[in-house]
Amino acid sequence: MKIVSISEILECNQLLKDSGLKFKIHLRDACGKQSCSIESLSDSNGSEQYQVLYQTLEAYFGNLRFRLEYSADNKNFWMS
């Protein structure tokens, strides 16, 4: 099973910053699965910004051969 590295999370956060997306991804390591949480860095982030964020995350982690699974509130995700 492949795991995501902290350097890949840092790279993802830089990509978000460079793309003008005001979000930050936090990595959590749990028994059996890694998970990430999404932190909004701006009160002005609305549904449009979140949709661009999700597309960016899917593309970035897809290139690393991960499929993302989101929590019910879409503020956390797991890689498989």
Side-chain angles (χ1 to χ4, degrees), residues 13-23 41-42 44-45 49 52-53 56:
N13 282 327
Q14 188 62 49
L15 171 65
L16 297 178
K17 185 177 180 180
D18 293 347
S19 299
L21 294 168
K22 296 176 182 174
F23 295 95
L41 302 176
S42 174
S44 65
N45 282 333
Q49 288 81 13
V52 174
L53 169 69
T56 303

Side-chain angles (χ1 to χ4, degrees), residues 2-17 23-29 34-38 57 60-61 64 66 68 77-79:
K2 185 177 183 318
I3 60 170
V4 68
S5 70
I6 189 66
S7 62
E8 290 165 331
I9 296 296
L10 292 172
E11 184 178 284
C12 179
N13 282 327
Q14 188 62 49
L15 171 65
L16 297 178
K17 185 177 180 180
F23 295 95
K24 188 173 186 178
I25 303 303
H26 300 277
L27 177 65
R28 294 192 177 105
D29 195 16
Q34 289 181 307
S35 66
C36 294
S37 62
I38 298 169
L57 292 175
Y60 177 79
F61 287 105
L64 297 174
F66 288 110
L68 302 183
F77 62 91
W78 300 265
M79 286 145 286

